Amino acid sequence: MPGDVHLFGIRHHGPGSARRLVEALDALNPVAVLIEGPSDASELLPMLADPEMVTPVALLTYAEDNPANASFFPFAEYSPEYQAARWAVRHGAALRFIDLPASDRLGVAASEIAEETATKAEDDPISYDPIGALATAAGYDDGESWWSDVIEENPASGPVFTAVADAMTALRAETKLLTAREAAREAHMRIEIAKAAKDCEGAVAVVCGAWHVPALLERRSLAADRELLKGRPKTKIKATWAPWTAPRLARASGYGAGVVAPGWCAHLWETREGDRIALWLAKVTRVLRERGHFVSTASVIEAQRLGIALAALRERPSPGFEELREAAIACLCNGERAMWNDVAAELLVGAGVGSIPSATPLAPLLEDLQRQQKATRLKPEALERPLTLDLRSESGLMRSTLLHRLNALDVPWGRLTDAGRSRGTFRENWQLRWEPEFAVRLVENLLYGSTIAEAAAGRLIEAMGKETELGALAGLVRNAMIADLPRATETGIAALETKAALTSDGQSLLEALPPMADILRYGEARAGTVEHLAALMPRIVVQAALALPYAARNLDVPAAAKLRGAILAADAAIQLAQLEADIVAKWREALTALLHDDQATRLIAGTAARLLYEAELLAADHTADLLARMLSPGTPVAEAAGFFEGFFEGAGQRLIHDAALRGAVDAWLLSLDDEAFTGSLPLFRRVFSALDRHERRRLMDALFARSTGAKGYRLIADAAAIWPEHQARVLALLNAGSAR
């Protein structure tokens, strides 16, 4: 290695490595600091020292022609590379990345990288777990514990980098092969190190993964290294900084270079050795108390003693988070692991989300998002949190609009859990959770526009042009409306008018009504023109009414269930939209026609009867007569069961209050033979599952009452003769309803 070059082999996101590295840099005082990372993003490195940069953050690189082809390089405060960059800026040292450029990595197909990785892991597993090999040699069960004891949590400074380099040299001597990509990476780093050593007068510090140190120390000809880099793929790339999250630094998130417990690593970096145990247990105690658990000071003292004792028994230099976790469970959580699990995620993983300086060169959509986050005072967080918005306030409406627009871009920062239907049209309930991948998705959407509003409108308009189903198209129009995207809304309404004029399918027409009613409903809370839609919905209701009798005929079970759901949703939408009386009358005429159509599927006919009954268009005595006729012994069991299900599923409570309906059902149940009754129990389960224990008790009391019901109908004509069978069947029915 030419010149005064010093290599520091570190572990990515290792707080002990970071601490030792800063000490080594202070002692060496290099004139240049070279860091393992994409060399074509070097100009962004100094921004890590910007006071506005709050970790965790990630270097985002992506291909210009395919933003989905992207890579993240995360940095935490305790990452050695992050501390090296800050040291270089603070001391005026030259600073740059030296690894293969991102244009190379993104130019290689993902499948090729995966194939190389799989081949290497199969042929030479040691090279992909060098720490594990060292741990085994030292008598440890896993590499994590060994590395923590030797490097991350070892209070003694010592020549750790020299020891790590010697260990890696021994391990690499046993390596059978390297992938072409890894060989190219190391060749590129050697070339960059040689350039820096030639250009700089003074010491050069190289910060890289410990595994690469022996290869970078090798003396190889410049020509040989350049030969390894010939023919490497390239693609045009862009790079920027993006916020990262603490949970995504955890290995459990799928991040290969992640750590087991980011929260513990942050604690190691922030505290001195002497205070580390007490301060960690104090943090555990505070979180437990915030969650309403009682923890005494004496218990904290005992937990500290137990943690130290466990470390001594395991011959570890100091307690790690495993020992302190076990001590906390025993002494602070009364031995209850569930109590620890209640706080573990907050303590060991954390919920922090980084932020980037306002001067960061961003893709336009990321820049727009950052502006709107400030304007709406919505801070991205890594753990889920609820957010309730009042759309009557300017701030509530701004936040809602932003979240809806992001959802239109497939960036679900917020998930709408309840539009507040029971509390009017002016309230929305959300669950918020930010994921780093959302930055990539925003970049992918740049082809639709340079602002979130433009891109959301463009993407919805494209989806509207491709949509063939009327109901789905109406849903897209609804999304455009509530996201306050007038251009997309007008385009969608025009497409709805055209498609509705050409559609005669009853199912499609029915499925279009609920989102249309929602659009009209949301018009109360959002500015926007809905006059065209207010005229279109009645037209579609009439079309659906005309098509319904034909759509309901001779359906199989899945098709009938699907149509039933569409009818119920459409009826609710018609009521919600408060249409003119003559339009509603057309719809109910179609429902009435189903009752007199012998070809109408019985499930659909039962559903129509229920809706008419609830609208008080079927008198109670007429409804009971209809039900008795449809459930008469002469009706095939399957047809009777279908009508029964259509009428009562979701409305079983009516049997408690309506003696005439109860009598018709009671008579039908007693007329079934044992096989038919047993076969119908799953149906009864569906129908009566909505009844709670109190309601089932009331229904049982009504059925076993010895008095006469309305209109003199005697529910149990001869208690002595009928009671045993009646009792058994009713109990079976109600037990079926209670099985959930």
Side-chain angles (χ1 to χ4, degrees):
M1 182 63 64
D4 188 12
V5 176
H6 300 260
L7 274 72
F8 300 99
I10 51 86
R11 175 192 175 167
H12 303 296
H13 314 307
S17 293
R19 195 180 300 280
R20 302 294 173 245
L21 177 62
V22 172
E23 293 170 357
L25 292 175
D26 285 338
L28 180 64
N29 196 28
V31 297
V33 176
L34 311 182
I35 297 174
E36 180 186 329
S39 57
D40 48 356
S42 291
E43 69 277 4
L44 294 177
L45 253 179
M47 294 195 74
L48 286 174
D50 191 306
E52 291 185 47
M53 185 76 81
V54 179
T55 58
V57 294
L59 178 66
L60 166 61
T61 61
Y62 58 92
E64 278 191 32
D65 60 350
N66 180 19
N69 183 14
S71 290
F72 284 108
F73 299 86
F75 294 83
E77 186 178 6
Y78 48 82
S79 300
E81 300 93 334
Y82 173 76
Q83 291 299 328
R86 289 176 59 85
W87 188 97
V89 173
R90 193 165 58 247
H91 291 82
L95 174 65
R96 64 175 180 262
F97 283 131
I98 58 172
D99 204 344
L100 278 174
S103 60
D104 181 290
R105 178 181 180 85
L106 299 177
V108 177
S111 58
E112 293 177 16
I113 294 176
E115 184 178 348
E116 280 192 348
T117 303
T119 301
K120 179 172 180 181
E122 181 180 347
D123 293 341
D124 186 18
I126 288 181
S127 66
Y128 265 73
D129 188 17
I131 306 302
L134 290 173
T136 301
Y140 281 74
D141 293 332
D142 63 280
E144 186 77 25
S145 298
W146 178 85
W147 186 267
S148 294
D149 285 354
V150 175
I151 305 294
E152 307 303 341
E153 300 175 29
N154 192 342
S157 53
V160 292
F161 294 111
T162 302
V164 168
D166 291 342
M168 294 302 162
T169 300
L171 281 175
R172 287 189 69 123
E174 302 297 322
T175 301
K176 298 176 183 176
L177 58 87
L178 296 176
T179 65
R181 175 171 178 75
E182 187 164 347
R185 288 182 62 199
E186 292 174 347
H188 191 277
M189 286 193 276
R190 281 193 296 267
I191 292 172
E192 292 297 313
I193 293 170
K195 286 181 185 177
K198 183 179 178 181
D199 296 341
C200 297
E201 295 183 1
V204 175
V206 179
V207 181
C208 62
W211 174 251
H212 300 297
V213 170
L216 301 186
L217 286 170
E218 289 181 8
R219 292 186 177 274
R220 296 199 182 183
S221 70
L222 190 61
D225 279 342
R226 285 176 175 166
E227 185 66 28
L228 283 174
L229 298 176
K230 279 186 178 180
R232 297 291 301 175
K234 293 284 188 294
T235 188
K236 290 184 178 180
I237 68 107
K238 288 189 175 181
T240 186
W241 292 106
W244 199 249
T245 69
R248 297 307 298 271
L249 290 167
R251 188 175 300 164
S253 71
Y255 174 35
V259 293
V260 174
W264 173 251
C265 289
H267 178 73
L268 292 178
W269 172 255
E270 294 164 359
T271 56
R272 298 188 302 272
E273 169 61 25
D275 302 329
R276 189 170 294 162
I277 301 171
L279 289 175
W280 177 255
L281 291 173
K283 186 181 295 186
V284 175
T285 301
R286 175 182 57 78
V287 175
L288 284 169
R289 288 173 176 171
E290 287 175 353
R291 299 288 178 89
H293 303 295
F294 173 76
V295 181
S296 69
T297 304
S299 297
V300 180
I301 296 172
E302 285 303 314
Q304 182 172 359
R305 290 174 178 168
L306 179 56
I308 295 171
L310 286 172
L313 286 172
R314 295 169 181 174
E315 298 182 344
R316 302 191 65 175
S318 64
F321 79 86
E322 298 96 337
E323 287 76 27
L324 295 180
R325 175 184 59 202
E326 293 172 29
I329 292 172
C331 301
L332 308 183
C333 303
N334 306 313
E336 298 178 12
R337 182 167 290 273
M339 189 170 164
W340 166 258
N341 291 341
D342 185 39
V343 300
E346 180 175 345
L347 290 164
L348 296 181
V349 178
V353 177
S355 61
I356 56 179
S358 55
T360 305
L362 295 175
L365 285 178
L366 292 171
E367 206 170 319
D368 190 34
L369 175 63
Q370 194 174 55
R371 284 196 300 267
Q372 296 201 44
Q373 284 173 335
K374 290 181 180 178
T376 58
R377 297 183 181 179
L378 272 180
K379 181 182 178 182
E381 295 177 288
L383 295 183
E384 281 199 357
R385 77 173 181 93
L387 176 69
T388 298
L389 299 178
D390 186 340
L391 304 184
R392 293 170 295 185
S393 69
E394 183 179 353
S395 62
L397 188 56
M398 283 179 62
R399 291 179 171 189
S400 173
T401 299
L402 173 61
L403 294 172
H404 280 294
R405 287 175 176 174
L406 289 172
N407 277 334
L409 292 171
D410 193 27
V411 180
W413 179 17
R415 179 171 55 86
L416 192 61
T417 58
D418 175 18
R421 294 177 182 274
S422 62
R423 303 175 68 178
T425 63
F426 298 101
R427 191 173 299 276
E428 289 180 341
N429 297 314
W430 296 82
Q431 284 289 333
L432 302 186
R433 177 172 178 160
W434 181 261
E435 298 286 356
E437 290 85 354
F438 294 164
V440 175
R441 294 189 191 178
L442 282 173
V443 172
E444 289 179 59
N445 282 292
L446 276 171
L447 72 160
Y448 297 110
S450 58
T451 68
I452 290 174
E454 289 175 0
R459 180 164 174 154
L460 284 174
I461 288 171
E462 180 184 79
M464 290 168 181
K466 295 178 179 178
E467 187 54 62
T468 58
E469 294 294 329
L470 190 63
L473 178 59
L476 292 172
V477 176
R478 175 189 179 278
N479 293 345
M481 172 71 186
I482 61 179
D484 193 19
L485 301 170
R487 183 167 64 95
T489 302
E490 292 171 8
T491 301
I493 289 176
L496 267 178
E497 290 178 325
T498 301
K499 195 170 291 294
L502 301 173
T503 300
S504 59
D505 179 66
Q507 180 86 30
S508 297
L509 291 164
L510 291 170
E511 289 174 351
L513 295 176
M516 294 178 77
D518 270 349
I519 296 170
L520 295 174
R521 170 178 172 271
Y522 268 102
E524 301 173 24
R526 286 176 163 82
T529 304
V530 294
E531 288 84 357
H532 289 298
L533 197 62
L536 178 59
M537 186 174 177
R539 243 172 53 202
I540 294 181
V541 171
V542 173
Q543 285 180 255
L546 294 173
L548 181 57
Y550 303 97
R553 290 175 178 171
N554 304 317
L555 300 176
D556 60 18
V557 173
K562 184 178 179 182
L563 182 60
R564 179 180 190 267
I567 290 171
L568 291 173
D571 187 79
I574 290 169
Q575 294 183 52
L576 182 66
Q578 298 181 345
L579 302 178
E580 297 292 333
D582 59 331
I583 302 298
V584 177
K586 291 284 186 185
W587 167 247
R588 288 171 175 168
E589 286 172 11
L591 295 176
T592 304
L594 293 175
L595 304 184
H596 307 291
D597 187 347
D598 293 336
Q599 298 182 61
T601 304
R602 296 296 88 186
L603 178 72
I604 305 303
T607 302
R610 167 187 160 183
L611 293 176
L612 292 169
Y613 176 71
E614 290 177 344
E616 299 182 351
L617 297 177
L618 277 182
D621 53 349
H622 291 162
T623 305
D625 291 343
L626 173 65
L627 199 60
R629 186 171 73 254
M630 293 297 183
L631 303 180
S632 66
T635 305
V637 173
E639 292 186 15
F643 192 91
F644 173 80
E645 180 180 0
F647 193 97
F648 284 108
E649 185 171 7
Q653 293 90 341
R654 295 202 173 275
L655 286 171
I656 300 173
H657 308 290
D658 196 318
L661 296 183
R662 193 167 62 242
V665 172
D666 193 38
W668 174 57
L669 291 175
L670 289 174
S671 72
L672 297 176
D673 59 36
D674 290 342
E675 183 179 354
F677 181 83
T678 303
S680 299
L681 279 176
L683 165 63
F684 301 148
R685 173 174 296 175
R686 292 196 303 273
V687 169
F688 292 103
S689 62
L691 297 180
D692 60 28
R693 179 175 300 179
H694 176 66
E695 289 170 328
R696 288 196 300 275
R697 179 72 255 177
R698 291 177 62 194
L699 179 56
M700 186 181 294
D701 289 343
L703 284 167
F704 293 152
R706 294 179 176 272
S707 61
T708 58
K711 299 176 60 177
Y713 182 84
R714 187 173 182 78
L715 296 179
I716 303 175
D718 186 347
I722 299 177
W723 177 269
E725 180 184 2
H726 190 277
Q727 182 186 46
R729 290 201 168 182
V730 171
L731 288 174
L733 182 150
L734 293 175
N735 287 335
S738 64
R740 304 191 185 188

